[in-house]
Amino acid sequence: MHILRTVAELRQWARTGRAQGGTIGLVPTMGALHAGHASLIRAAKAACGQVAVSIFVNPTQFGPHEDYAVYPRTFDADCALASAQGADAVFAPAVEELYPAGAATFVDVEGLSSRLDGASRPGHFRGVATVVSKLLIAAEADFGFFGQKDAAQVAVLRRMVTDLRLPAKLVVCPIVREPDGLALSSRNAYLSPAERTQALTLSRAIRQVEALVAAGQRSAASLIAAARQTFAAEPTLRIDYIELVDWATLEPAETARPNTLFAVAAWVGQTRLIDNTVIA
Ligand code: AMP
């Protein structure tokens, strides 16, 4: 497996791969790889001739009081995992490689970027859209692989790819969960044993909403009320949002219908966790 450090190396790698007849798949990550990331890499390898996993803790998507400095960095283990899942290359640039001195160019997906996670994390999706556009362009990617876990991010990136007329197609992979339901996240490493138990409230609320929808309950107000009740049983959690939205626009939806997104975010101690379900 190649370890690439510069955009020029990534571009060269992609062009060599394409010349050999393969399509190029890119899996953007911030490292601290787990089974959720592994599922993206496997999906990429099944669909593309050549797969690069980017590992880059992107400073521009963290707020000033967020966890950029302490975000887990486990590069050697990440390379071992990426290689075991079939990645052909890891792209791990320095910050100055993606943000040259004086960098002043940003991608701002208006509207969408201030909804759901964007409402409580101003500037977050601007950072995400900026870095993902740089990565898709540098890798000359045919396909980019993303997790439904970050469903609002998917909506922002779909809009961005359409608006910038990027050639990459986005592939969205299902949420990978622990056996007890907790959605895998690099930030789960922050949880104490007690918080780990409290965190199950998110997936419990999601499962409950799925059951209610399956039983014919479609009104946003009643689904949100049911989820709020589930959270009420665990008052140590601080709800950030509980919303039913159109997955394309992230605007509130009044009824659960295909392609609406039921999404929750909550603080468990100092750790902010998210979970969701897309209505079939
Ligand atoms: P991150 O490293 O947290 O930026 O995530 C990199 C990619 O992995 C994003 O597209 C995430 O949505 C995806 N991802 C993270 N956790 C999961 C999970 N539990 N299941 C599926 N995909 C995930």
Side-chain angles (χ1 to χ4, degrees), residues 5-85:
R5 296 288 183 183
T6 66
V7 166
E9 286 168 2
L10 177 62
R11 189 166 284 140
Q12 185 56 47
W13 168 84
R15 289 185 179 175
T16 305
R18 192 184 302 289
Q20 290 166 354
T23 51
I24 308 298
L26 176 70
V27 183
T29 82
M30 298 206 299
L33 301 185
H34 52 61
H37 300 110
S39 75
L40 266 54
I41 301 170
R42 283 198 303 278
K45 200 54 204 175
C48 303
Q50 294 288 318
V51 171
V53 176
S54 62
I55 297 177
F56 181 67
V57 185
N58 174 36
T60 64
Q61 72 188 69
F62 288 79
H65 305 294
E66 292 185 353
D67 54 344
Y68 175 69
V70 297
Y71 195 84
R73 289 163 171 86
T74 58
F75 185 67
D76 292 344
D78 292 347
C79 287
L81 183 147
S83 170
Q85 301 302 323

Coordinates of all heavy atoms in Angstrom, one line a residue, residues 5-85:
R5 N 1.9 11.7 0.6 CA 1.9 12.9 1.5 C 1.5 14.2 0.8 O 1.2 15.1 1.5 CB 3.3 13.0 2.1 CG 3.7 11.9 3.0 CD 2.9 11.9 4.3 NE 3.3 10.8 5.2 CZ 2.7 10.6 6.4 NH1 1.7 11.4 6.8 NH2 3.1 9.6 7.2
T6 N 1.7 14.2 -0.5 CA 1.4 15.5 -1.2 C 0.3 15.3 -2.2 O 0.0 14.2 -2.7 CB 2.7 16.0 -1.9 OG1 3.0 15.1 -3.0 CG2 3.9 16.1 -1.0
V7 N -0.3 16.4 -2.6 CA -1.4 16.4 -3.6 C -0.8 15.9 -4.9 O -1.4 15.1 -5.7 CB -2.0 17.8 -3.8 CG1 -2.8 17.9 -5.0 CG2 -2.8 18.1 -2.5
A8 N 0.5 16.3 -5.2 CA 1.1 15.9 -6.5 C 1.3 14.3 -6.5 O 1.0 13.7 -7.5 CB 2.5 16.6 -6.6
E9 N 1.6 13.8 -5.4 CA 1.8 12.3 -5.3 C 0.4 11.6 -5.5 O 0.3 10.6 -6.1 CB 2.4 11.9 -3.9 CG 3.9 12.2 -3.8 CD 4.4 12.0 -2.4 OE1 3.6 11.6 -1.5 OE2 5.5 12.3 -2.1
L10 N -0.6 12.2 -4.8 CA -2.0 11.6 -5.0 C -2.4 11.6 -6.4 O -2.9 10.7 -7.0 CB -2.9 12.4 -4.1 CG -4.4 11.9 -4.1 CD1 -4.6 10.5 -3.7 CD2 -5.3 12.8 -3.2
R11 N -2.2 12.8 -7.1 CA -2.7 12.9 -8.4 C -1.9 12.0 -9.4 O -2.5 11.3 -10.2 CB -2.4 14.4 -8.9 CG -3.0 14.8 -10.2 CD -3.1 16.3 -10.4 NE -4.2 16.9 -9.6 CZ -4.0 18.1 -9.0 NH1 -2.9 18.7 -9.0 NH2 -5.1 18.6 -8.3
Q12 N -0.6 11.9 -9.1 CA 0.2 10.9 -9.9 C -0.3 9.5 -9.7 O -0.4 8.7 -10.7 CB 1.7 11.1 -9.5 CG 2.7 10.3 -10.3 CD 2.5 10.6 -11.8 OE1 2.5 11.8 -12.2 NE2 2.4 9.6 -12.7
W13 N -0.5 9.1 -8.5 CA -1.0 7.8 -8.2 C -2.3 7.5 -8.9 O -2.5 6.5 -9.5 CB -1.2 7.6 -6.6 CG -2.0 6.4 -6.3 CD1 -1.5 5.2 -6.1 CD2 -3.4 6.3 -6.0 NE1 -2.5 4.3 -5.7 CE2 -3.7 5.0 -5.7 CE3 -4.5 7.3 -6.0 CZ2 -5.0 4.6 -5.4 CZ3 -5.7 6.8 -5.8 CH2 -6.0 5.5 -5.4
A14 N -3.3 8.5 -8.9 CA -4.6 8.3 -9.5 C -4.4 8.2 -11.0 O -5.1 7.3 -11.6 CB -5.5 9.5 -9.2
R15 N -3.5 9.0 -11.6 CA -3.4 8.9 -13.1 C -2.7 7.6 -13.5 O -3.1 7.0 -14.5 CB -2.5 10.1 -13.5 CG -3.3 11.4 -13.4 CD -2.6 12.6 -13.9 NE -3.6 13.7 -13.8 CZ -3.3 15.0 -14.0 NH1 -2.1 15.3 -14.5 NH2 -4.2 15.9 -13.9
T16 N -1.8 7.1 -12.7 CA -1.2 5.8 -13.0 C -2.3 4.7 -12.9 O -2.4 3.8 -13.8 CB -0.1 5.5 -12.0 OG1 0.8 6.5 -12.0 CG2 0.6 4.2 -12.3
G17 N -3.1 4.8 -11.8 CA -4.2 3.8 -11.7 C -5.2 3.8 -12.8 O -5.6 2.8 -13.4
R18 N -5.6 5.0 -13.2 CA -6.5 5.2 -14.3 C -5.9 4.6 -15.6 O -6.6 4.0 -16.4 CB -7.0 6.6 -14.5 CG -8.2 6.8 -15.4 CD -8.5 8.2 -15.6 NE -8.8 8.9 -14.4 CZ -9.9 8.8 -13.6 NH1 -10.8 7.9 -14.0 NH2 -10.1 9.5 -12.6
A19 N -4.7 4.9 -15.8 CA -4.0 4.4 -17.1 C -4.0 2.9 -17.2 O -4.0 2.3 -18.2 CB -2.6 5.0 -17.1
Q20 N -4.0 2.3 -16.0 CA -4.1 0.8 -16.0 C -5.5 0.3 -16.1 O -5.8 -0.9 -16.0 CB -3.5 0.3 -14.7 CG -2.0 0.5 -14.6 CD -1.4 0.3 -13.2 OE1 -2.1 0.1 -12.3 NE2 0.0 0.4 -13.1
G21 N -6.4 1.2 -16.3 CA -7.8 0.8 -16.6 C -8.8 0.8 -15.5 O -9.9 0.4 -15.6
G22 N -8.3 1.3 -14.3 CA -9.2 1.3 -13.1 C -9.9 2.6 -12.9 O -9.5 3.6 -13.3
T23 N -11.1 2.5 -12.2 CA -11.7 3.7 -11.7 C -11.1 4.0 -10.3 O -10.5 3.1 -9.7 CB -13.2 3.5 -11.5 OG1 -13.4 2.3 -10.8 CG2 -13.9 3.4 -12.9
I24 N -11.2 5.2 -9.9 CA -10.6 5.7 -8.7 C -11.7 6.0 -7.6 O -12.6 6.7 -7.9 CB -9.8 7.0 -8.9 CG1 -8.9 6.9 -10.1 CG2 -9.1 7.5 -7.6 CD1 -7.8 5.9 -10.0
G25 N -11.5 5.3 -6.5 CA -12.4 5.5 -5.4 C -11.7 6.2 -4.2 O -10.6 5.9 -4.0
L26 N -12.4 7.2 -3.6 CA -11.8 7.9 -2.5 C -12.6 7.7 -1.2 O -13.9 7.9 -1.3 CB -11.6 9.4 -2.8 CG -11.1 10.2 -1.7 CD1 -9.6 9.9 -1.4 CD2 -11.3 11.7 -2.0
V27 N -12.0 7.4 -0.1 CA -12.7 7.3 1.2 C -12.1 8.4 2.1 O -11.1 8.1 2.7 CB -12.6 5.9 1.8 CG1 -13.3 5.8 3.1 CG2 -13.0 4.8 0.8
P28 N -12.8 9.5 2.2 CA -12.2 10.6 3.1 C -12.5 10.2 4.6 O -13.6 9.9 5.0 CB -13.0 11.8 2.7 CG -13.6 11.5 1.4 CD -13.9 10.1 1.4
T29 N -11.5 10.3 5.4 CA -11.6 10.1 6.9 C -10.8 11.0 7.7 O -9.8 11.6 7.1 CB -11.2 8.6 7.3 OG1 -9.8 8.6 7.5 CG2 -11.7 7.6 6.3
M30 N -11.0 11.1 9.0 CA -10.1 11.8 9.9 C -9.3 10.8 10.7 O -8.7 11.2 11.7 CB -10.9 12.7 10.8 CG -11.7 13.8 10.0 SD -12.0 15.3 10.9 CE -13.0 14.6 12.2
G31 N -9.2 9.5 10.2 CA -8.4 8.6 11.0 C -9.1 8.0 12.2 O -10.4 8.1 12.3
A32 N -8.4 7.4 13.1 CA -8.9 6.7 14.2 C -10.0 5.7 13.7 O -11.1 5.6 14.1 CB -9.6 7.6 15.3
L33 N -9.5 4.9 12.7 CA -10.4 4.1 11.9 C -11.0 3.0 12.7 O -10.3 2.4 13.5 CB -9.6 3.5 10.7 CG -9.0 4.6 9.7 CD1 -8.4 3.9 8.5 CD2 -10.0 5.6 9.3
H34 N -12.3 2.7 12.4 CA -13.0 1.6 13.1 C -13.8 0.8 12.0 O -13.6 1.1 10.8 CB -13.9 2.2 14.2 CG -14.8 3.3 13.7 ND1 -15.7 3.2 12.7 CD2 -14.8 4.6 14.1 CE1 -16.4 4.3 12.5 NE2 -15.8 5.2 13.3
A35 N -14.7 0.0 12.5 CA -15.4 -0.9 11.5 C -16.3 -0.1 10.6 O -16.6 -0.6 9.5 CB -16.2 -2.0 12.3
G36 N -16.7 1.1 11.0 CA -17.5 1.9 10.1 C -16.7 2.3 8.9 O -17.1 2.2 7.7
H37 N -15.5 2.8 9.1 CA -14.6 3.2 8.1 C -14.3 2.0 7.2 O -14.2 2.1 6.0 CB -13.3 3.8 8.6 CG -13.5 5.0 9.5 ND1 -13.3 5.0 10.8 CD2 -13.8 6.3 9.1 CE1 -13.5 6.2 11.3 NE2 -13.8 7.0 10.3
A38 N -14.0 0.8 7.9 CA -13.7 -0.4 7.2 C -14.8 -0.8 6.1 O -14.5 -1.2 5.0 CB -13.5 -1.5 8.1
S39 N -16.0 -0.6 6.5 CA -17.1 -0.9 5.6 C -17.1 0.0 4.4 O -17.4 -0.5 3.2 CB -18.5 -0.8 6.3 OG -18.9 0.5 6.5
L40 N -16.7 1.2 4.6 CA -16.6 2.2 3.4 C -15.4 1.7 2.5 O -15.6 1.8 1.3 CB -16.3 3.6 3.9 CG -17.4 4.6 4.1 CD1 -18.5 4.0 5.0 CD2 -16.9 5.9 4.6
I41 N -14.3 1.3 3.1 CA -13.2 0.9 2.3 C -13.5 -0.4 1.5 O -13.2 -0.5 0.3 CB -11.9 0.7 3.2 CG1 -11.6 2.0 3.9 CG2 -10.7 0.2 2.3 CD1 -10.5 1.8 5.0
R42 N -14.2 -1.3 2.1 CA -14.6 -2.5 1.4 C -15.6 -2.2 0.3 O -15.5 -2.7 -0.8 CB -15.2 -3.5 2.4 CG -14.2 -4.3 3.2 CD -14.8 -5.5 3.8 NE -16.0 -5.2 4.6 CZ -16.0 -4.8 5.9 NH1 -14.9 -4.6 6.5 NH2 -17.2 -4.5 6.5
A43 N -16.5 -1.3 0.5 CA -17.5 -0.9 -0.5 C -16.7 -0.3 -1.7 O -17.0 -0.5 -2.9 CB -18.5 0.0 0.0
A44 N -15.7 0.6 -1.4 CA -15.0 1.2 -2.4 C -14.2 0.2 -3.2 O -14.1 0.3 -4.5 CB -14.0 2.2 -1.8
K45 N -13.6 -0.8 -2.5 CA -12.8 -1.7 -3.2 C -13.6 -2.6 -4.1 O -13.2 -3.1 -5.2 CB -12.0 -2.6 -2.2 CG -10.8 -3.3 -2.7 CD -9.8 -2.3 -3.5 CE -9.0 -3.1 -4.5 NZ -8.1 -2.3 -5.3
A46 N -14.9 -2.9 -3.7 CA -15.8 -3.7 -4.5 C -16.2 -3.0 -5.8 O -16.5 -3.6 -6.8 CB -17.0 -4.1 -3.7
A47 N -16.2 -1.6 -5.7 CA -16.7 -0.9 -6.9 C -15.6 -0.3 -7.7 O -15.9 0.1 -8.9 CB -17.6 0.3 -6.3
C48 N -14.4 -0.1 -7.2 CA -13.4 0.7 -8.0 C -12.1 -0.1 -8.1 O -11.8 -1.0 -7.3 CB -13.1 1.9 -7.2 SG -14.5 3.0 -6.8
G49 N -11.4 0.1 -9.2 CA -10.1 -0.5 -9.4 C -9.1 -0.1 -8.4 O -8.3 -0.9 -7.9
Q50 N -9.0 1.2 -8.1 CA -8.0 1.7 -7.2 C -8.7 2.5 -6.1 O -9.5 3.4 -6.4 CB -7.0 2.6 -7.9 CG -6.2 1.9 -9.0 CD -5.1 1.0 -8.3 OE1 -4.5 1.4 -7.4 NE2 -5.0 -0.2 -8.9
V51 N -8.3 2.3 -4.8 CA -8.9 3.0 -3.7 C -7.9 3.7 -2.8 O -6.9 3.1 -2.4 CB -9.7 2.0 -2.8 CG1 -10.2 2.6 -1.5 CG2 -10.9 1.4 -3.6
A52 N -8.1 5.0 -2.6 CA -7.3 5.7 -1.7 C -8.2 6.1 -0.5 O -9.3 6.5 -0.6 CB -6.8 7.0 -2.3
V53 N -7.6 6.0 0.7 CA -8.2 6.4 2.0 C -7.4 7.6 2.4 O -6.2 7.6 2.6 CB -8.1 5.3 3.1 CG1 -8.6 5.8 4.4 CG2 -8.8 4.0 2.6
S54 N -8.2 8.8 2.6 CA -7.5 9.9 3.1 C -7.6 10.0 4.6 O -8.7 9.6 5.1 CB -7.9 11.2 2.4 OG -9.3 11.4 2.7
I55 N -6.5 10.3 5.3 CA -6.5 10.4 6.7 C -6.0 11.8 7.0 O -4.8 12.1 6.8 CB -5.6 9.4 7.4 CG1 -6.1 8.0 7.1 CG2 -5.4 9.6 8.9 CD1 -5.2 6.8 7.6
F56 N -7.0 12.7 7.4 CA -6.6 14.1 7.6 C -7.6 14.7 8.6 O -8.8 14.8 8.4 CB -6.7 14.8 6.3 CG -6.3 16.3 6.4 CD1 -5.0 16.7 6.6 CD2 -7.3 17.3 6.1 CE1 -4.7 18.0 6.7 CE2 -7.0 18.6 6.2 CZ -5.6 19.0 6.5
V57 N -7.0 15.1 9.8 CA -7.9 15.8 10.8 C -7.9 17.2 10.3 O -6.9 18.0 10.4 CB -7.3 15.6 12.2 CG1 -8.2 16.2 13.2 CG2 -7.0 14.1 12.5
N58 N -9.1 17.6 9.8 CA -9.2 18.8 9.0 C -9.5 20.0 10.0 O -10.6 20.1 10.5 CB -10.4 18.7 8.0 CG -10.7 19.9 7.3 OD1 -9.8 20.7 7.0 ND2 -12.0 20.2 7.1
P59 N -8.5 20.9 10.2 CA -8.7 21.9 11.2 C -9.9 22.8 10.9 O -10.5 23.3 11.9 CB -7.4 22.7 11.2 CG -6.7 22.3 9.9 CD -7.2 21.0 9.5
T60 N -10.2 23.1 9.6 CA -11.2 24.1 9.3 C -12.7 23.6 9.7 O -13.6 24.4 9.6 CB -11.2 24.5 7.9 OG1 -11.5 23.4 7.0 CG2 -9.8 25.1 7.5
Q61 N -12.8 22.3 10.0 CA -14.2 21.9 10.3 C -14.4 21.8 11.8 O -15.5 21.4 12.3 CB -14.5 20.6 9.6 CG -13.8 19.3 10.2 CD -14.1 18.1 9.3 OE1 -13.6 18.0 8.2 NE2 -14.9 17.2 9.8
F62 N -13.4 22.2 12.6 CA -13.6 22.2 14.1 C -13.8 23.7 14.5 O -13.1 24.6 14.0 CB -12.3 21.7 14.7 CG -12.1 20.3 14.6 CD1 -11.6 19.7 13.5 CD2 -12.4 19.4 15.7 CE1 -11.3 18.3 13.3 CE2 -12.2 18.0 15.6 CZ -11.6 17.5 14.4
G63 N -14.7 23.9 15.4 CA -14.9 25.2 16.1 C -13.8 25.5 17.0 O -13.0 24.6 17.4
P64 N -13.7 26.7 17.5 CA -12.6 27.1 18.3 C -12.5 26.4 19.7 O -11.5 26.2 20.3 CB -12.8 28.6 18.5 CG -14.1 29.0 18.0 CD -14.5 27.9 17.0
H65 N -13.7 26.0 20.1 CA -13.7 25.3 21.4 C -13.9 23.8 21.3 O -14.3 23.1 22.2 CB -14.8 25.9 22.4 CG -14.6 27.4 22.5 ND1 -13.5 27.9 23.2 CD2 -15.3 28.4 22.1 CE1 -13.6 29.2 23.1 NE2 -14.7 29.5 22.5
E66 N -13.7 23.3 20.1 CA -14.0 21.8 19.8 C -12.7 21.0 20.0 O -11.6 21.6 20.5 CB -14.6 21.6 18.5 CG -16.0 22.2 18.4 CD -16.8 21.9 17.2 OE1 -16.2 21.4 16.2 OE2 -18.0 22.2 17.1
D67 N -12.7 19.8 19.6 CA -11.7 18.8 20.0 C -10.5 18.6 19.0 O -9.9 17.5 19.0 CB -12.3 17.5 20.4 CG -13.2 16.9 19.2 OD1 -13.5 17.7 18.3 OD2 -13.6 15.7 19.3
Y68 N -10.2 19.6 18.2 CA -9.2 19.4 17.2 C -7.9 18.9 17.8 O -7.3 17.9 17.3 CB -8.9 20.7 16.4 CG -7.8 20.6 15.4 CD1 -7.9 19.8 14.3 CD2 -6.6 21.2 15.6 CE1 -6.9 19.6 13.4 CE2 -5.5 21.1 14.7 CZ -5.7 20.3 13.6 OH -4.6 20.2 12.7
A69 N -7.4 19.6 18.9 CA -6.1 19.2 19.4 C -6.1 17.8 20.0 O -5.0 17.2 19.9 CB -5.7 20.3 20.5
V70 N -7.2 17.4 20.5 CA -7.2 16.1 21.2 C -7.8 14.9 20.4 O -7.9 13.8 20.8 CB -7.9 16.1 22.6 CG1 -7.1 17.1 23.5 CG2 -9.3 16.5 22.4
Y71 N -8.2 15.3 19.2 CA -8.9 14.2 18.3 C -7.9 13.0 18.2 O -6.7 13.2 18.0 CB -9.2 14.8 16.9 CG -10.2 14.0 16.2 CD1 -11.6 14.1 16.4 CD2 -9.7 13.0 15.3 CE1 -12.5 13.3 15.7 CE2 -10.6 12.2 14.6 CZ -12.0 12.3 14.8 OH -12.9 11.5 14.2
P72 N -8.4 11.8 18.3 CA -7.5 10.7 18.4 C -6.7 10.5 17.1 O -7.3 10.6 16.0 CB -8.4 9.5 18.6 CG -9.8 9.9 18.4 CD -9.8 11.4 18.6
R73 N -5.4 10.3 17.2 CA -4.6 10.2 16.0 C -3.8 8.8 16.2 O -3.0 8.7 17.1 CB -3.6 11.4 15.9 CG -4.3 12.7 15.4 CD -3.5 13.9 15.7 NE -4.0 15.1 15.1 CZ -4.9 15.9 15.7 NH1 -5.4 15.6 16.9 NH2 -5.3 17.0 15.1
T74 N -4.1 7.9 15.3 CA -3.6 6.5 15.4 C -3.1 6.0 14.1 O -3.6 5.0 13.5 CB -4.8 5.6 16.0 OG1 -5.9 5.6 15.0 CG2 -5.3 6.0 17.3
F75 N -2.2 6.7 13.5 CA -1.8 6.6 12.1 C -1.4 5.2 11.8 O -1.8 4.6 10.8 CB -0.7 7.6 11.7 CG -0.4 7.5 10.3 CD1 -1.4 7.9 9.3 CD2 0.8 7.1 9.8 CE1 -1.1 7.9 8.0 CE2 1.1 7.0 8.4 CZ 0.1 7.4 7.5
D76 N -0.5 4.5 12.6 CA 0.0 3.2 12.2 C -1.1 2.2 12.2 O -1.2 1.4 11.2 CB 1.1 2.8 13.2 CG 2.4 3.7 13.0 OD1 2.5 4.4 12.0 OD2 3.2 3.7 13.9
A77 N -2.0 2.2 13.2 CA -3.1 1.3 13.2 C -4.0 1.5 12.1 O -4.6 0.6 11.5 CB -3.8 1.4 14.6
D78 N -4.2 2.8 11.7 CA -5.1 3.2 10.6 C -4.6 2.6 9.3 O -5.3 2.1 8.5 CB -5.2 4.7 10.4 CG -5.9 5.3 11.6 OD1 -6.6 4.6 12.4 OD2 -5.9 6.6 11.7
C79 N -3.2 2.7 9.1 CA -2.7 2.1 7.8 C -2.8 0.6 7.8 O -3.2 0.1 6.7 CB -1.2 2.5 7.8 SG -0.9 4.2 7.4
A80 N -2.7 0.0 8.9 CA -2.8 -1.5 9.0 C -4.3 -1.8 8.6 O -4.5 -2.8 7.8 CB -2.5 -2.0 10.4
L81 N -5.2 -1.1 9.2 CA -6.7 -1.4 8.9 C -7.0 -1.1 7.4 O -7.6 -2.0 6.7 CB -7.6 -0.6 9.8 CG -9.1 -0.8 9.6 CD1 -9.8 -0.7 11.0 CD2 -9.7 0.1 8.6
A82 N -6.5 0.0 6.9 CA -6.8 0.4 5.5 C -6.2 -0.7 4.6 O -6.9 -1.2 3.6 CB -6.2 1.7 5.2
S83 N -5.0 -1.1 4.8 CA -4.4 -2.1 4.0 C -5.1 -3.5 4.1 O -5.4 -4.1 3.1 CB -2.9 -2.3 4.5 OG -2.3 -3.4 3.8
A84 N -5.5 -3.8 5.3 CA -6.2 -5.1 5.5 C -7.6 -5.1 4.7 O -8.1 -6.2 4.3 CB -6.5 -5.4 6.9
Q85 N -8.2 -3.9 4.6 CA -9.5 -3.9 3.9 C -9.3 -3.7 2.4 O -10.3 -3.6 1.6 CB -10.3 -2.7 4.4 CG -10.6 -2.7 5.9 CD -11.3 -4.0 6.3 OE1 -12.2 -4.5 5.6 NE2 -11.0 -4.6 7.5

